[in-house]
Amino acid sequence: MTAGAILTIDFEALAANYRLLCRQVAPAQVAGVVKADGYGLGAAHVARTLLDQGCRHLFVALLGEARTLKPELPQDVPLYVLNGLMPGAEAECAAIGAIPVLNSLDQIARWAALAASRNEVLPGVLQVDTGMSRMGLPADEIAALLADPSLLAGIEVRLVMSHLACADEPADPANAEQVRRFEAVCAGFPGVPRSLDNSGGAFLGRGHLDLVRAGIAMYGGAPNDGPNPMHAVVALDARIAQLRTIPVGTRVGYGLTHQVLRESRIATIPVGYADGWPRCLGNRGSAFVAGMRVPVVGRVSMDSITLDVTDVPAEHLYPGAPVELIGPHQTLDAVAADAGTISYEILTQLGHRYERVHVPAHDRSTAR
Ligand SMILES: *Cc1c(COP(=O)(O)O)cnc(C)c1O
């Protein structure tokens, strides 16, 4: 009644997606990537659901995210920080109990220095750059590290990892090249668990090493451009706030960018770009009313969207009538495609004004 729309988050679907990924990559294990507040769905809720499924490794991007999430987790669940150690963050990282992904010799040196100063062994993950040029040790730093293992003194290397640039495009030859480079590096760290694949990587036809870092597929997004095997986790349902009938030639919305060519019924729904509904979907995106596609007409406003519902039977059109924005007729990936973006961006931008309804995962505590 008070929100513009209801965002339903189905944690049983999330759990089912986690199980599907586990089957897909076995005997590799699946880590949950819960950065950006669990892709916008609530990192603590997502983490609890995954732990209940037997997940034992979690990744966030930022130390601040680890600080928020760590107290919600059992002590022994490793929480890794993908973006690594900013200069000066070493003590805080250790105090939080997070495990840094060490992305450069400099980060390794600072983590080792903290370990030495405390006379302790500290856990860390090594990330190597195998071709994406984003995070991780570049080739010359890898060579320096392999030539002088004492650089890692005081660090217990829990995992060696790298990240694929083109995992969502299975045919791209860059994938095989990154695998080749990664395996060559891993040979220098015998016995240390290896992690290369994200969601897309989990669906590349080959082995998956020891640990897969899954994000988007867990959240129901398509792991690549093929058919999506995952269960939908989010649904977004608005309601009609106002209806009007406008004569032929009337224009609609900011800038009057749409003009109707016939007498038309326009429905306004209380969702806008402030809710993360992309402004670029003006005159382009759609919604569904009673299973019928209705186009967005005019611009997306901050707090509302106008839909042309002329072709929808009158019995489905009344103030308060349901309007599907994400659901069985319009997937998350379809919205992203209309907006010229990816599901990740739609999810992580979902606003905070929606009423959030959580469908709980089935309780498995008694089954185990
Ligand atoms: C975000 C991220 C992931 C998860 O990727 P998905 O495509 O969402 O599965 C895995 N690894 C790293 C390094 C990441 O940054």
Side-chain angles (χ1 to χ4, degrees):
M1 228 44 101
T2 56
I6 294 178
L7 178 67
T8 306
I9 307 174
D10 184 344
F11 287 94
E12 181 51 33
L14 181 92
N17 285 339
Y18 182 78
R19 295 193 296 269
L20 192 158
L21 286 164
C22 288
R23 288 193 299 275
Q24 170 71 21
V25 305
Q29 291 189 23
V30 180
V33 179
V34 294
K35 61 192 179 185
D37 197 25
Y39 287 39
L41 304 187
H45 286 287
V46 170
R48 271 194 288 277
T49 303
L50 298 179
L51 295 180
D52 195 42
Q53 295 296 317
C55 175
R56 280 297 163 266
H57 302 270
L58 296 171
F59 286 85
V60 290
L62 301 173
L63 191 53
E65 294 177 329
R67 182 173 46 209
T68 308
L69 184 58
K70 189 74 172 123
E72 310 279 336
L73 306 175
Q75 271 289 322
D76 60 336
V77 174
L79 180 59
Y80 310 98
V81 180
L82 288 167
N83 283 7
L85 272 180
M86 282 289 182
E90 302 82 21
E92 169 107 50
C93 185
I96 289 167
I99 302 177
V101 173
L102 302 167
N103 287 313
S104 66
L105 284 182
D106 169 58
Q107 294 183 19
I108 291 171
R110 287 187 276 107
W111 198 231
L114 183 72
S117 75
R118 298 182 168 200
N119 217 353
E120 278 175 24
V121 173
L122 294 173
V125 171
L126 274 188
Q127 176 159 223
V128 295
D129 176 13
T130 52
M132 192 173 173
S133 312
R134 187 179 70 170
M135 298 248 182
L137 279 76
D140 59 327
E141 295 198 0
I142 298 168
L145 190 62
L146 289 171
D148 183 3
S150 75
L151 295 172
L152 285 168
I155 299 176
E156 181 197 341
V157 180
R158 294 274 186 94
L159 188 71
V160 181
M161 64 170 272
S162 189
H163 193 48
L164 295 169
C166 304
D168 56 337
E169 290 161 37
D172 197 306
N175 291 312
E177 178 58 20
Q178 285 198 267
V179 171
R180 195 189 60 73
R181 290 188 193 172
F182 186 58
E183 288 185 336
V185 174
C186 289
F189 298 93
V192 178
R194 300 154 297 169
S195 175
L196 179 61
D197 292 329
N198 63 343
S199 296
F203 291 89
L204 294 174
R206 54 162 171 77
H208 300 283
L209 304 175
D210 300 301
L211 188 68
V212 170
R213 308 181 306 272
I216 196 67
M218 233 167 45
Y219 301 106
N224 54 39
D225 20 3
N228 186 358
M230 312 313 296
H231 305 280
V233 173
V234 295
L236 184 60
D237 294 286
R239 303 206 300 166
I240 293 175
Q242 191 170 9
L243 278 157
R244 73 192 66 248
T245 301
I246 57 177
V248 57
T250 308
R251 300 199 288 176
V252 181
Y254 278 123
L256 304 176
T257 59
H258 178 77
Q259 184 170 34
V260 299
L261 303 176
R262 57 177 176 169
E263 182 179 276
S264 300
R265 293 214 82 190
I266 302 295
T268 304
I269 59 170
V271 170
Y273 63 77
D275 302 295
W277 200 255
R279 188 168 175 276
C280 67
L281 287 178
N283 289 315
R284 199 160 142 201
S286 42
F288 281 78
V289 174
M292 294 183 65
R293 182 182 174 275
V294 294
V296 174
V297 290
R299 287 187 185 151
V300 172
S301 299
M302 182 185 287
D303 315 298
S304 62
I305 298 170
T306 35
L307 303 166
D308 187 329
V309 295
T310 311
D311 294 330
V312 176
E315 76 251 36
H316 302 300
L317 300 175
Y318 49 91
V323 177
E324 173 190 328
L325 287 168
I326 299 173
H329 300 93
Q330 175 158 275
T331 63
L332 173 65
D333 283 281
V335 173
D338 281 351
T341 184
I342 52 177
S343 55
Y344 304 65
E345 191 176 25
I346 302 294
L347 273 187
T348 55
Q349 296 307 307
L350 287 171
H352 297 283
R353 298 194 297 186
Y354 298 133
E355 181 182 337
R356 290 184 173 222
V357 173
H358 289 180
V359 178
H362 306 155
D363 184 6
R364 283 177 191 78
S365 52
T366 50
R368 266 190 283 126

